[in-house]
Amino acid sequence: MKEPSSSCCTEDAFQWDTREDCDVRQILDRIGDKWSLLVIALLDNRKLRFTELKRTIDGISQRMLTVTLRQLERDGLVRRTVYPVVPPRVDYELTPLGVTLHDTIQALVTWTEGHQREIASARASYDAAAASTAVAEV
């Protein structure tokens, strides 16, 4: 098992090493992908079965949900509980570490909700400028 290394990370708390093998970058890549964020958000204060997660997350394939849950479990963010019944029942829930991450993600969601109009306006302005530039180049 690879131990966390401080050799790839900088001393500045506001910076991190961008090399692919940097532990901080790898963790940010994992928790920052769209499927992980959705799974963590859905598991806030509740247990869900695989099928409930699959049904709730629009556009996720069974394979991608399986991979995402395994990686979150490996990182200690999600707990998988298997019950010895037929058919097998498996529940997923956030670990205490996962709960702390959810709190951080909630702050990001709150920021996004508060700024979505500004972002939509910026996108519209950018798209209009890009369209007029494309027309001018023709």
Side-chain angles (χ1 to χ4, degrees):
M1 179 190 317
K2 183 181 173 191
E3 291 296 320
S5 64
S6 59
S7 62
C8 73
C9 300
T10 66
E11 296 293 322
D12 186 347
F14 299 105
Q15 305 250 343
W16 60 85
D17 192 314
T18 56
R19 289 179 291 177
E20 192 171 355
D21 65 342
C22 178
D23 295 322
V24 172
R25 178 180 166 187
Q26 290 176 0
I27 294 167
L28 288 171
D29 286 347
R30 160 64 31 237
I31 63 175
D33 78 58
K34 66 181 178 179
W35 302 127
S36 294
L37 289 172
L38 289 169
V39 167
I40 291 165
L42 288 170
L43 293 176
D44 181 37
N45 293 317
R46 62 181 166 175
K47 294 180 183 182
L48 290 174
R49 296 177 73 174
F50 183 92
T51 53
E52 293 171 312
L53 286 164
K54 172 84 173 72
R55 189 174 351 133
T56 307
I57 303 174
D58 190 36
I60 194 167
S61 68
Q62 181 168 332
R63 181 186 179 286
M64 185 51 65
L65 180 56
T66 299
V67 168
T68 299
L69 287 166
R70 283 182 185 160
Q71 290 173 335
L72 291 172
E73 183 181 8
R74 180 175 180 253
D75 289 341
L77 301 170
V78 168
R79 178 179 302 114
R80 177 179 185 259
T81 305
V82 180
Y83 298 93
V85 295
V86 177
R89 177 180 169 187
V90 180
D91 286 342
Y92 295 90
E93 64 185 315
L94 294 179
T95 63
L97 181 61
V99 170
T100 65
L101 178 58
H102 180 272
D103 295 342
T104 302
I105 291 169
Q106 187 57 48
L108 180 61
V109 170
T110 300
W111 179 89
T112 304
E113 290 171 344
H115 293 84
Q116 61 187 341
R117 287 189 181 132
E118 293 170 75
I119 293 168
S121 176
R123 286 177 177 175
S125 296
Y126 179 91
D127 291 348
S132 67
T133 301
V135 169
E137 291 176 358
V138 173

Coordinates of all heavy atoms in Angstrom, one line a residue, residues 27-67:
I27 N -6.6 12.6 -4.4 CA -7.8 12.7 -3.6 C -8.8 13.7 -4.1 O -10.0 13.4 -4.2 CB -7.4 13.0 -2.1 CG1 -6.6 11.9 -1.5 CG2 -8.7 13.3 -1.3 CD1 -5.9 12.2 -0.2
L28 N -8.3 14.8 -4.6 CA -9.2 15.9 -5.1 C -9.8 15.3 -6.4 O -11.0 15.6 -6.7 CB -8.4 17.1 -5.4 CG -8.0 18.0 -4.2 CD1 -7.1 19.1 -4.6 CD2 -9.2 18.5 -3.5
D29 N -9.1 14.6 -7.2 CA -9.6 14.0 -8.4 C -10.8 13.1 -8.1 O -11.8 13.1 -8.7 CB -8.6 13.2 -9.2 CG -7.6 14.1 -10.0 OD1 -7.9 15.4 -10.1 OD2 -6.6 13.6 -10.4
R30 N -10.6 12.3 -7.0 CA -11.6 11.3 -6.6 C -12.9 12.0 -6.1 O -14.0 11.8 -6.5 CB -11.1 10.4 -5.5 CG -12.1 9.7 -4.6 CD -13.0 8.6 -5.4 NE -12.3 8.0 -6.5 CZ -12.8 8.0 -7.7 NH1 -13.9 8.6 -8.0 NH2 -12.1 7.5 -8.7
I31 N -12.7 12.9 -5.1 CA -13.9 13.5 -4.5 C -14.5 14.6 -5.4 O -15.7 15.0 -5.1 CB -13.6 14.1 -3.1 CG1 -12.6 15.2 -3.2 CG2 -13.2 12.9 -2.2 CD1 -12.3 15.8 -1.9
G32 N -13.8 15.1 -6.4 CA -14.3 16.1 -7.2 C -15.0 15.7 -8.5 O -15.6 16.5 -9.2
D33 N -15.0 14.4 -8.7 CA -15.8 13.9 -9.9 C -17.3 14.0 -9.7 O -17.7 13.9 -8.6 CB -15.3 12.6 -10.4 CG -15.8 11.4 -9.6 OD1 -17.0 11.2 -9.6 OD2 -15.0 10.6 -9.1
K34 N -18.0 14.1 -10.8 CA -19.5 14.4 -10.6 C -20.2 13.2 -10.0 O -21.1 13.5 -9.2 CB -20.1 14.7 -12.0 CG -20.1 13.5 -13.0 CD -20.7 13.9 -14.3 CE -20.7 12.8 -15.3 NZ -21.3 13.2 -16.6
W35 N -19.8 12.0 -10.2 CA -20.5 10.9 -9.6 C -20.3 10.8 -8.1 O -21.2 10.5 -7.3 CB -20.1 9.5 -10.3 CG -20.4 9.5 -11.8 CD1 -19.5 9.2 -12.7 CD2 -21.6 9.9 -12.5 NE1 -20.1 9.4 -14.0 CE2 -21.4 9.7 -13.8 CE3 -22.9 10.3 -12.0 CZ2 -22.4 10.0 -14.8 CZ3 -23.9 10.5 -13.0 CH2 -23.6 10.4 -14.3
S36 N -19.0 11.0 -7.7 CA -18.7 10.9 -6.3 C -19.5 12.0 -5.5 O -20.0 11.8 -4.4 CB -17.2 11.1 -6.0 OG -16.5 10.0 -6.6
L37 N -19.5 13.2 -6.1 CA -20.2 14.3 -5.4 C -21.7 14.0 -5.2 O -22.3 14.2 -4.2 CB -20.1 15.6 -6.2 CG -18.7 16.3 -6.2 CD1 -18.7 17.4 -7.2 CD2 -18.3 16.7 -4.8
L38 N -22.3 13.4 -6.3 CA -23.7 13.0 -6.2 C -24.0 11.9 -5.1 O -24.9 12.0 -4.4 CB -24.2 12.6 -7.5 CG -24.4 13.8 -8.6 CD1 -24.7 13.2 -9.9 CD2 -25.5 14.7 -8.1
V39 N -23.1 10.9 -5.1 CA -23.3 9.8 -4.2 C -23.1 10.4 -2.8 O -24.0 10.1 -1.9 CB -22.2 8.7 -4.5 CG1 -22.2 7.7 -3.3 CG2 -22.6 8.0 -5.7
I40 N -22.1 11.2 -2.5 CA -21.9 11.7 -1.2 C -23.1 12.6 -0.8 O -23.6 12.5 0.4 CB -20.6 12.5 -1.1 CG1 -19.4 11.5 -1.2 CG2 -20.5 13.3 0.2 CD1 -18.1 12.2 -1.6
A41 N -23.6 13.4 -1.7 CA -24.8 14.2 -1.4 C -26.0 13.4 -1.0 O -26.7 13.7 -0.1 CB -25.1 15.2 -2.5
L42 N -26.2 12.3 -1.8 CA -27.4 11.5 -1.6 C -27.3 10.7 -0.3 O -28.4 10.4 0.3 CB -27.6 10.5 -2.7 CG -28.1 11.2 -4.0 CD1 -28.0 10.2 -5.2 CD2 -29.5 11.7 -3.8
L43 N -26.1 10.4 0.2 CA -26.0 9.6 1.4 C -26.0 10.4 2.7 O -25.8 9.9 3.7 CB -24.7 8.7 1.3 CG -24.7 7.6 0.3 CD1 -23.4 6.9 0.2 CD2 -25.9 6.6 0.5
D44 N -26.3 11.7 2.6 CA -26.3 12.5 3.7 C -27.4 12.1 4.7 O -28.5 12.0 4.4 CB -26.6 14.0 3.3 CG -26.6 14.9 4.5 OD1 -25.8 14.7 5.4 OD2 -27.5 15.8 4.5
N45 N -26.9 11.6 5.9 CA -27.8 11.2 7.0 C -28.7 10.1 6.7 O -29.8 10.0 7.2 CB -28.6 12.4 7.5 CG -27.8 13.4 8.2 OD1 -26.8 13.1 8.9 ND2 -28.0 14.7 7.8
R46 N -28.3 9.2 5.7 CA -29.2 8.0 5.4 C -28.4 6.9 4.7 O -27.4 7.2 4.2 CB -30.4 8.4 4.6 CG -30.0 9.0 3.2 CD -31.2 9.4 2.5 NE -30.9 10.2 1.3 CZ -31.7 10.6 0.4 NH1 -32.9 10.3 0.5 NH2 -31.3 11.3 -0.6
K47 N -29.0 5.7 4.8 CA -28.4 4.6 4.1 C -29.3 4.4 2.9 O -30.5 4.6 2.9 CB -28.6 3.3 5.0 CG -27.7 3.3 6.2 CD -27.9 2.0 7.0 CE -27.2 2.0 8.3 NZ -27.3 0.8 9.0
L48 N -28.6 4.0 1.8 CA -29.3 3.7 0.6 C -28.8 2.4 0.0 O -27.6 2.1 0.1 CB -29.2 4.9 -0.5 CG -29.9 6.2 -0.2 CD1 -29.5 7.2 -1.2 CD2 -31.4 6.0 -0.1
R49 N -29.7 1.7 -0.7 CA -29.3 0.5 -1.4 C -28.7 0.9 -2.8 O -29.0 2.0 -3.3 CB -30.4 -0.4 -1.5 CG -30.9 -0.9 -0.2 CD -32.1 -1.8 -0.3 NE -31.7 -3.1 -0.8 CZ -32.5 -4.1 -0.9 NH1 -33.8 -4.0 -0.6 NH2 -32.1 -5.3 -1.4
F50 N -28.0 0.0 -3.4 CA -27.4 0.3 -4.7 C -28.5 0.7 -5.7 O -28.4 1.7 -6.4 CB -26.7 -1.0 -5.2 CG -26.0 -0.8 -6.5 CD1 -24.7 -0.4 -6.6 CD2 -26.7 -1.0 -7.7 CE1 -24.0 -0.2 -7.8 CE2 -26.1 -0.9 -9.0 CZ -24.7 -0.5 -9.0
T51 N -29.6 -0.1 -5.7 CA -30.7 0.2 -6.7 C -31.3 1.6 -6.4 O -31.7 2.3 -7.4 CB -31.8 -0.9 -6.7 OG1 -32.2 -1.0 -5.3 CG2 -31.3 -2.2 -7.2
E52 N -31.4 2.0 -5.2 CA -31.9 3.4 -4.9 C -31.0 4.4 -5.4 O -31.4 5.4 -6.0 CB -32.1 3.5 -3.4 CG -33.2 2.6 -2.8 CD -33.2 2.7 -1.3 OE1 -32.2 2.5 -0.7 OE2 -34.3 2.9 -0.7
L53 N -29.7 4.2 -5.2 CA -28.7 5.2 -5.8 C -28.8 5.2 -7.3 O -28.8 6.3 -7.9 CB -27.3 4.8 -5.3 CG -27.0 5.1 -3.9 CD1 -25.7 4.4 -3.4 CD2 -26.8 6.6 -3.6
K54 N -28.8 4.1 -7.9 CA -28.9 4.0 -9.4 C -30.1 4.7 -9.9 O -30.0 5.4 -10.9 CB -28.8 2.5 -9.8 CG -29.1 2.2 -11.3 CD -27.8 2.4 -12.1 CE -28.0 2.0 -13.5 NZ -28.7 2.9 -14.3
R55 N -31.2 4.5 -9.3 CA -32.5 5.1 -9.8 C -32.5 6.6 -9.6 O -33.0 7.3 -10.4 CB -33.6 4.5 -9.0 CG -35.0 4.8 -9.5 CD -36.1 4.1 -8.7 NE -35.5 3.1 -7.9 CZ -35.8 2.8 -6.6 NH1 -36.7 3.4 -6.0 NH2 -35.2 1.9 -5.9
T56 N -31.8 7.1 -8.6 CA -31.8 8.5 -8.2 C -30.8 9.3 -9.0 O -31.1 10.5 -9.3 CB -31.5 8.7 -6.7 OG1 -32.4 7.9 -6.0 CG2 -31.7 10.1 -6.3
I57 N -29.7 8.7 -9.4 CA -28.7 9.4 -10.1 C -28.9 9.3 -11.6 O -28.5 8.3 -12.2 CB -27.3 9.0 -9.7 CG1 -27.0 9.1 -8.2 CG2 -26.2 9.7 -10.5 CD1 -25.8 8.5 -7.7
D58 N -29.4 10.3 -12.2 CA -29.7 10.3 -13.6 C -28.5 10.2 -14.5 O -27.5 11.0 -14.3 CB -30.5 11.6 -14.0 CG -31.0 11.6 -15.4 OD1 -31.5 10.5 -15.9 OD2 -31.0 12.7 -16.0
G59 N -28.4 9.3 -15.4 CA -27.3 9.1 -16.3 C -26.1 8.3 -15.9 O -25.2 8.0 -16.7
I60 N -26.1 7.7 -14.7 CA -25.0 6.9 -14.2 C -25.3 5.4 -14.6 O -26.4 4.9 -14.5 CB -24.8 7.0 -12.7 CG1 -23.4 6.4 -12.4 CG2 -25.9 6.4 -11.9 CD1 -22.9 6.7 -11.0
S61 N -24.3 4.8 -15.1 CA -24.4 3.4 -15.5 C -24.2 2.5 -14.3 O -23.6 3.0 -13.3 CB -23.4 3.0 -16.6 OG -22.1 3.1 -16.0
Q62 N -24.6 1.3 -14.3 CA -24.4 0.4 -13.2 C -22.9 0.2 -12.9 O -22.5 0.2 -11.8 CB -25.1 -1.0 -13.5 CG -24.9 -2.0 -12.4 CD -25.8 -3.2 -12.6 OE1 -26.9 -3.1 -13.2 NE2 -25.4 -4.3 -12.0
R63 N -22.1 0.1 -14.0 CA -20.7 -0.1 -13.8 C -20.1 1.1 -13.2 O -19.2 1.0 -12.3 CB -20.0 -0.4 -15.2 CG -18.6 -0.6 -15.0 CD -17.9 -0.7 -16.4 NE -16.4 -0.9 -16.3 CZ -15.6 0.1 -15.9 NH1 -16.0 1.3 -15.7 NH2 -14.3 -0.2 -15.8
M64 N -20.4 2.3 -13.6 CA -19.8 3.5 -13.1 C -20.2 3.7 -11.6 O -19.4 4.1 -10.8 CB -20.2 4.7 -13.9 CG -19.5 6.0 -13.4 SD -17.7 5.9 -13.3 CE -17.2 5.7 -14.9
L65 N -21.5 3.4 -11.2 CA -21.9 3.5 -9.8 C -21.1 2.5 -9.0 O -20.6 2.8 -7.9 CB -23.4 3.2 -9.7 CG -23.9 3.3 -8.3 CD1 -23.6 4.7 -7.6 CD2 -25.4 3.1 -8.3
T66 N -20.9 1.3 -9.5 CA -20.1 0.3 -8.8 C -18.7 0.7 -8.6 O -18.2 0.7 -7.5 CB -20.1 -1.1 -9.6 OG1 -21.5 -1.6 -9.7 CG2 -19.2 -2.1 -8.9
V67 N -18.1 1.3 -9.6 CA -16.7 1.8 -9.5 C -16.6 2.9 -8.5 O -15.7 3.0 -7.7 CB -16.2 2.2 -10.9 CG1 -14.9 3.0 -10.8 CG2 -16.0 1.0 -11.8

